Amino acid sequence: MTKKPVSCEAPSSTAYELQIEQEHIKKNLEHVGHKILVLSGKGGVGKSTIAANLAVSLSLANKRVGLLDIDIHGPSIPKILNLEGRKIQVLGERMLPVQIGPDLKVMSIGFLLPDSDNAVIWRGPMKNQVIRQFLKDVKWGSLDFLIVDSPPGTGDEPLSIAQLLGDADGAIIVTTPQQIALSDVRKGISFCRNLNIPVLGVVENMSGFLCPNCGQQTEIFTSGGGEDMARQLGIEFLARVPIDPQIVQGCDTGQPYVRQNSAGETAQAFRQVTRRVLMLENESKATKADSNQKGAGRMRIAVPVVDGKLSQHFGHSETFAIVDTDGDSGQVLNRKDLAPPRHEPGVLPKWLHGEGVDVIIAGGMGQRAQQLFAQNQIQVVVGAPAESPESLVSAYLNDTLQAGENICDH
Ligand code: ADP
């Protein structure tokens, strides 16, 4: 049953353009299992090193992997993977990624540069155009994972990439242990929360020096700060990667570390990061199984509640009624009441998606929140009156819901 949500504002032309672009990108990436962003607060912390080793590691686990390097400021992936000097091949209107072995495809902004010493001096709109083309026009084919090496920071470039990707499955935040870098992690986490991208975890890179001779670890900067911060913010801490001369050597010779090494602390750290990404496959199988359990024709509807009736301010509601229904017969089957997580932008759509909710019936809701619900495949009905969840759900199922004006409280 498809219902037309009531909208409180006309979409602006930029929002409309973004939507069209997102649709093209979605189509281009429709055979990609999971999209992962690798982010960092600033350059030089080892983001590309982690992205490249993660991609290679996943391909060594027989996954089909794409590595997309759109770090305009320092596209170092060609160097790390010994692909310097490669040029982009075009087939019709599509660009072909460079294939390494049977399972790894790579596309990099670096392939557009005449040589590795050339800085990219494109101006804003041009950069944007190139990034958009990379997302829309690269022929990836079927992939299990697409790893995106994003520009550093939380500014306009990473923002536009994350928005264009639309439904990234997760982000890995790379940092170094110093306090200054840690404040960037906070920004990275709120960046992801605002965009509703799940943070898979934090990687603390260059965390202590691993002596190649005696194998002893020396703390050069204070270390463990990334771990403390991750704990404070309720984010998973994935791994500490030490300063390891073999990583530098690997980057310089185009032989990524994980291809050459499988023992020791550094290899173990890369395995931990890879394992977390591989877990996404099991998580999505579990979500699918859960939604199959609901059965054909079943629909789960959420209603924000206060004093037993619909709350007009869904974002501040302390209880959500989750009502299971039989969409075919229009019957309410059962109801449970859940307390939502702490209110922050983007948290509720993700949480309700995790609860298997298909539709939310709300009083007022702003355009941005509606977009976030749509990105989580939750249909929004706004302008509903303050009545009990059961009566609203029944009215909705029987097409008699009197939806009034959407009064946005944002
Ligand atoms: P970013 O992508 O954040 O700008 P890079 O991945 O290009 O950073 O890394 C910057 C430099 O640091 C590279 O020369 C790389 O070889 C080196 N590097 C990264 N991580 C480590 C590490 N754990 N140990 C030693 N060198 C590292």
Side-chain angles (χ1 to χ4, degrees):
M1 187 185 303
T2 314
K3 306 262 166 174
K4 209 165 174 226
V6 180
S7 162
C8 68
E9 348 161 347
S12 67
S13 67
T14 42
Y16 180 68
E17 279 161 23
L18 178 67
Q19 204 180 335
I20 300 280
E21 203 113 47
Q22 275 175 330
E23 271 158 27
H24 281 140
I25 292 167
K26 200 168 176 185
K27 179 102 193 68
N28 190 38
L29 302 179
E30 68 185 340
H31 299 296
V32 173
H34 297 92
K35 290 165 246 159
I36 314 293
L37 286 167
V38 183
L39 304 170
S40 68
K42 58 182 163 77
V45 300
K47 175 179 51 60
S48 302
T49 305
I50 304 291
N53 278 284
L54 170 63
V56 172
S57 194
L58 288 166
S59 73
L60 292 173
N62 294 323
K63 298 296 172 191
R64 295 161 303 164
V65 186
L67 175 58
L68 176 60
D69 171 18
I70 30 190
D71 182 348
I72 301 263
H73 304 281
S76 44
I77 294 292
K79 182 161 186 61
I80 297 175
L81 295 176
N82 200 17
L83 299 174
E84 280 184 298
R86 295 288 190 107
K87 291 283 164 267
I88 289 178
Q89 298 211 359
V90 177
L91 184 70
E93 303 216 316
R94 315 286 301 281
M95 292 182 264
L96 299 182
V98 173
Q99 181 99 32
I100 308 179
D103 290 327
L104 181 58
K105 294 174 179 172
V106 183
M107 182 53 88
S108 168
I109 291 267
F111 298 153
L112 292 175
L113 304 180
D115 61 65
S116 59
D117 296 329
N118 264 281
V120 181
I121 48 160
W122 300 317
R123 294 193 193 285
M126 225 164 149
K127 283 197 265 187
N128 234 315
Q129 193 52 35
V130 173
I131 291 174
R132 280 157 194 249
Q133 273 194 317
F134 267 48
L135 293 170
K136 265 189 322 201
D137 299 332
V138 176
K139 196 169 191 292
W140 293 106
S142 294
L143 296 178
D144 298 308
F145 294 99
L146 177 66
I147 310 298
V148 182
D149 184 4
S150 248
T154 45
D156 289 348
E157 283 159 20
L159 179 71
S160 91
I161 289 162
Q163 282 177 329
L164 287 167
L165 263 182
D167 55 349
D169 298 88
I172 291 177
I173 299 179
V174 181
T175 181
T176 51
Q178 303 97 315
Q179 284 305 317
I180 182 105
L182 293 175
S183 73
D184 289 333
V185 177
R186 280 186 198 281
K187 287 189 206 151
I189 290 169
S190 65
F191 173 86
C192 291
R193 285 188 171 151
N194 288 339
L195 288 163
N196 206 26
I197 301 170
V199 179
L200 298 182
V202 172
V203 176
E204 187 174 285
N205 189 31
M206 308 194 198
S207 180
F209 171 65
L210 196 60
C211 173
N213 300 317
C214 66
Q216 199 180 325
Q217 182 138 335
T218 312
E219 303 299 343
I220 294 180
F221 313 116
T222 50
S223 74
E227 190 163 4
D228 291 343
M229 173 161 300
R231 202 178 304 117
Q232 277 166 24
L233 298 174
I235 298 294
E236 196 172 334
F237 183 74
L238 292 181
R240 293 178 57 179
V241 182
I243 297 174
D244 187 332
Q246 280 182 292
I247 291 187
V248 187
Q249 207 182 344
C251 288
D252 287 350
T253 57
Q255 286 301 329
Y257 178 90
V258 291
R259 195 169 277 153
Q260 306 291 318
N261 303 275
S262 56
E265 196 179 326
T266 309
Q268 167 68 14
F270 282 124
R271 259 199 302 281
Q272 282 162 226
V273 179
T274 308
R275 208 175 292 143
R276 178 63 191 93
V277 172
L278 285 170
M279 273 167 65
L280 282 172
E281 289 191 323
N282 295 336
E283 286 165 13
S284 49
K285 271 187 215 141
T287 312
K288 239 185 227 153
D290 184 45
S291 59
N292 285 345
Q293 246 178 19
K294 275 197 280 162
R298 300 280 166 97
M299 204 187 277
R300 193 166 282 177
I301 302 179
V303 181
V305 180
V306 67
D307 297 332
K309 295 190 171 157
L310 176 135
S311 155
Q312 291 297 330
H313 305 280
F314 86 98
H316 303 287
S317 178
E318 285 177 6
T319 308
F320 277 73
I322 309 291
V323 184
D324 277 334
T325 66
D326 182 346
D328 296 333
S329 66
Q331 299 269 306
V332 170
L333 300 174
N334 57 55
R335 164 183 168 176
K336 63 180 173 183
D337 283 10
L338 297 178
R342 200 154 54 91
H343 178 53
E344 277 185 48
V347 166
L348 289 176
K350 198 94 220 162
W351 171 67
L352 289 172
H353 175 70
E355 292 295 334
V357 166
D358 305 293
V359 177
I360 177 166
I361 299 179
M365 190 185 294
Q367 186 77 22
R368 177 75 189 124
Q370 290 190 36
Q371 268 174 8
L372 291 172
F373 276 106
Q375 281 169 12
N376 280 281
Q377 292 95 48
I378 296 176
Q379 195 186 333
V380 180
V381 178
V382 288
E387 287 174 15
S388 76
E390 285 82 356
S391 65
L392 291 170
V393 168
S394 292
Y396 171 74
L397 292 174
N398 295 302
D399 260 338
T400 54
L401 182 65
Q402 299 289 326
E405 211 182 330
N406 175 18
I407 301 159
C408 302
D409 57 342
H410 294 107

